[in-house]
Amino acid sequence: MRKNFILDTNVLLHDPRSIYGFKEHNVIIPIYVIEEIDQFKRDLSELGRNARLVARYLDSFREEGSLKDGVRLPHGGVLRVCFTDRDLPLSMADSNLMDNRILAVAIDLMEREPQSPAVFITKDTNLRIRADALGLIAEDYDAERVEITELYTGFTERLVPREVVDQMYKSGAEVELSGQDKLSPHQFILLKDETNPSHTAMGRFNAARGRVVPLLRGMKSEGVWGIRPRNMEQSFALDLLMNDDIKLVTIVGKAGTGKTLLAIAAGLHKVTEEGTYQKLLVSRPVFPLGRDIGYLPGTLEEKMNPWMQPIFDNVEFLMNLSRADKKAGRGYHELIDLGLMEIEALTYIRGRSIPNQYIIIDEAQNLTPHEVKTIITRVGDNTKIILTGDPFQIDNPYVDATNNGLVHVVNRFKNEKIAGHITMAKGERSALAELAANLL
C-alpha cells in the first residue's frame, strides 16, 4: 500500500536528500515548510547550506511538472507541495503557529486520501506527541539510525584450542580461524584457551591475508612517548594508531578511557621519532558545555586556546614538564614553534588538501555526518586521520547519540580495509573519574 509521508522542516534541514528516501511512497511537503526553510537560506552554517540545497532540489522537480499536482520521484512515488484552508481543531487554534499549519496539512491529507495512510515525519519529539494526540501516525527520521548499544565495537572473543593461543606468541605468528567471514577488517580478537580461559592472546584480523596476526610488538614494554597501554582496549587502540596502513581510525569511549592521550602520543611519536608524517594537526569542534561565555578577543590562536586547552594539557603531560620547566616558560608552544604541531579551526578546513600529516579530531561526536565528510575528504596523500569522542557527551543540539558524525563514520567504514575502530570502556583517568562516569 502506497503511503503519504508528510515531511517537517527539521527533516529537510537535517537531510535534504530525505526527499528521495521513501522508496515507492509519496512525499508531501507542506507549503509552510518551504516558508520556514526560506528563513535559513542566507545562513553560512550547515543549516543554510541544506536550506539552499532543498530549494535547488524542489526547483529542479518544478521543471518536470507542477509541484501542486505532483511530480514523479525516481523510485515511483510522487512529490507534492500542499497547503490547506481547513479550520484547525480547537487544540490547534493558533493558526499563526507554523507547526500547527503543518499538522493541519497532515490531518487534511489523512482525511481526504484514506486509501494512502498519512505518516508525519519529524525530528521534533514534542511535535510527534502532538501529532499522535491528533490521531496522526508520527515517526522520527533517520536514514541510518544505529542504536548506540548496537554500535560496532571493533572487538570480539573466540574460544580456540590451546595450541592456537601458543602459536600467537611465536615470531611471525599468523593463525587461521573458521568463520572469518563474520570478522571485519582490523577487528581485534581475544583468543581464549578452551581448556583454560585465563590463557589468552590478543590478535587483529588481517583481511588481506585472511588471518589473525599479533599486535605490534614493543608497545607494552617500550611505550609510545612514555605512555604504555594500561588495559587490553588501550593496546588495541595503540595498535590502530601506530599502523601506517590504517588511514582512518575511530575511537569511541567514555570520559577517562585515554582516547585523546593515546592519539596524541601516537601522533607525536610518528612525527618526532619516526618522521612518518610532517606534522601533527589537532582540532576539535567549538561547542561550549553549558552557557556560552560570548565572543573571545584576540587573534585566531588566542580565540582557539580555551577550546584547545584539553589538548594542550595532554601534550604537556606527555612532555613530562616539571614545575620548574613550566616556570621557565616551557610548554606545548615549543612543538608549535618547531612546526611539529598545529592547531586547526574546523571552521576554515573546507577547500584544504592536507597531505603528509597526522590529524586528530577530538570530540567528533559533536559533528554532523556532513561535517565529518567535509573533514575526511580533506585528507591528502600519506595522511592519517583519527576521530575520537564519546556519543553520550554531546553538546551540539542538532545531533544525538545515534546520528552524530562519529557514529556515522564507525557504521560506514567498519568493513573497509583502510579503516579501524575500537570502543573503549575501562576508564584509567582516576578511580573517582571512573566511578563518576559509571554512576552519574
Side-chain angles (χ1 to χ4, degrees):
M1 182 182 295
R2 182 173 292 182
K3 300 178 180 179
N4 286 333
F5 285 97
I6 302 98
L7 306 190
D8 192 15
T9 311
N10 47 47
V11 173
L12 292 169
L13 289 176
H14 173 75
D15 179 11
R17 292 194 60 83
S18 59
I19 294 170
Y20 302 95
F22 295 92
K23 298 181 180 178
E24 73 279 5
H25 302 290
N26 300 328
V27 175
I28 314 298
I29 302 177
I31 189 68
Y32 316 105
V33 166
I34 307 298
E35 293 177 15
E36 284 194 313
I37 286 175
D38 190 63
Q39 299 173 15
F40 291 92
K41 67 182 181 183
R42 292 182 178 85
D43 286 10
L44 298 178
S45 64
E46 187 187 359
L47 290 178
R49 172 192 172 276
N50 288 348
R52 294 187 291 273
L53 198 54
V54 169
R56 285 196 290 270
Y57 283 154
L58 293 178
D59 195 45
S60 65
F61 278 117
R62 190 178 59 81
E63 296 175 358
E64 299 177 18
S66 169
L67 292 176
K68 178 178 180 296
D69 298 329
V71 178
R72 186 68 61 182
L73 288 166
H75 297 295
V78 173
L79 170 68
R80 285 185 287 164
V81 174
C82 296
F83 66 95
T84 183
D85 293 323
R86 67 174 291 142
D87 294 330
L88 298 176
L90 292 177
S91 59
M92 301 163 55
D94 185 359
S95 60
N96 294 321
L97 190 63
M98 281 296 188
D99 284 352
N100 287 347
R101 302 302 308 175
I102 293 168
L103 282 174
V105 170
I107 292 172
D108 196 30
L109 279 167
M110 179 179 66
E111 295 179 355
R112 283 193 296 108
E113 302 178 11
Q115 74 281 3
S116 299
V119 183
F120 183 53
I121 306 296
T122 178
K123 296 188 70 62
D124 186 331
T125 306
N126 290 331
L127 199 53
R128 289 199 298 272
I129 295 170
R130 292 176 58 202
D132 189 77
L134 292 167
L136 274 170
I137 300 172
E139 296 179 1
D140 191 6
Y141 173 81
D142 205 328
E144 296 182 26
R145 189 177 188 88
V146 179
E147 294 299 330
I148 195 66
T149 54
E150 300 173 0
L151 185 67
Y152 170 63
T153 63
F155 160 71
T156 188
E157 295 182 0
R158 288 286 180 91
L159 290 174
V160 295
R162 179 183 182 87
E163 54 269 20
V164 174
V165 176
D166 292 337
Q167 176 68 23
M168 290 296 292
Y169 288 97
K170 297 179 181 178
S171 178
E174 290 184 359
V175 300
E176 188 172 353
L177 298 179
S178 59
Q180 290 173 358
D181 55 321
K182 297 180 181 179
L183 297 175
S184 298
H186 306 300
Q187 185 171 4
F188 292 98
I189 306 171
L190 180 65
L191 301 173
K192 288 187 173 182
D193 187 342
E194 294 172 333
T195 58
N196 181 14
S198 62
H199 182 214
T200 62
M202 295 183 293
R204 174 174 50 82
F205 179 62
N206 187 313
R209 301 181 191 176
R211 295 173 179 269
V212 177
V213 299
L215 306 189
L216 297 175
R217 304 292 184 187
M219 291 186 301
K220 191 73 175 178
S221 55
E222 301 171 13
V224 177
W225 253 63
I227 296 296
R228 294 177 178 82
R230 293 187 176 185
N231 57 50
M232 180 179 65
E233 296 161 352
Q234 290 192 355
S235 297
F236 293 158
L238 271 180
D239 188 76
L240 293 175
L241 293 167
M242 298 297 289
N243 190 327
D244 297 327
D245 295 329
I246 303 174
K247 300 300 183 183
L248 170 66
V249 175
T250 49
I251 304 177
V252 169
K254 63 186 180 183
T257 51
K259 307 179 298 294
T260 307
L261 182 65
L262 291 173
I264 293 174
L268 289 173
H269 182 88
K270 287 291 183 179
V271 171
T272 61
E273 302 292 332
E274 296 185 9
T276 308
Y277 306 96
Q278 294 177 354
K279 187 185 297 182
L280 172 63
L281 189 151
V282 187
S283 190
R284 66 202 301 261
V286 177
F287 280 101
L289 172 63
R291 187 177 296 275
D292 197 354
I293 60 174
Y295 290 105
L296 298 173
T299 63
L300 176 62
E301 182 180 349
E302 291 170 334
K303 290 177 187 292
M304 291 293 291
N305 279 348
W307 305 106
M308 293 300 160
Q309 195 58 50
I311 305 296
F312 300 150
D313 291 344
N314 280 313
V315 171
E316 292 187 348
F317 174 79
L318 291 168
M319 293 175 72
N320 198 26
L321 299 177
S322 65
R323 184 175 298 179
D325 291 332
K326 293 182 179 180
K327 284 185 177 180
R330 296 195 62 195
Y332 67 87
H333 56 82
E334 294 180 10
L335 295 173
I336 296 177
D337 295 340
L338 290 171
L340 298 174
M341 187 173 79
E342 180 182 346
I343 303 302
E344 176 70 42
L346 289 179
T347 307
Y348 307 110
I349 202 170
R350 186 185 293 277
R352 289 191 62 186
S353 180
I354 308 174
N356 302 312
Q357 295 189 28
Y358 196 100
I359 304 175
I360 299 172
I361 308 297
D362 196 26
E363 303 292 343
Q365 78 277 4
N366 281 320
L367 297 170
T368 66
H370 174 73
E371 288 169 337
V372 165
K373 177 181 178 180
T374 300
I375 293 166
I376 296 177
T377 52
R378 301 305 98 210
V379 170
D381 286 339
N382 192 39
T383 286
K384 183 176 180 123
I385 184 167
I386 319 299
L387 302 177
T388 68
D390 178 4
F392 290 105
Q393 294 192 27
I394 292 179
D395 304 308
N396 184 347
Y398 298 108
V399 299
D400 59 33
T402 61
N403 66 13
N404 62 82
L406 178 60
V407 168
H408 182 70
V409 171
V410 173
N411 185 47
R412 280 300 188 92
F413 278 86
K414 65 182 180 182
N415 293 319
E416 300 300 324
K417 294 182 179 179
I418 62 170
H421 168 75
I422 189 65
T423 298
M424 304 172 71
K426 190 174 188 305
E428 296 288 355
R429 180 172 288 159
S430 68
L432 175 58
E434 172 72 352
L435 198 59
N438 291 330
L439 296 180
L440 299 180

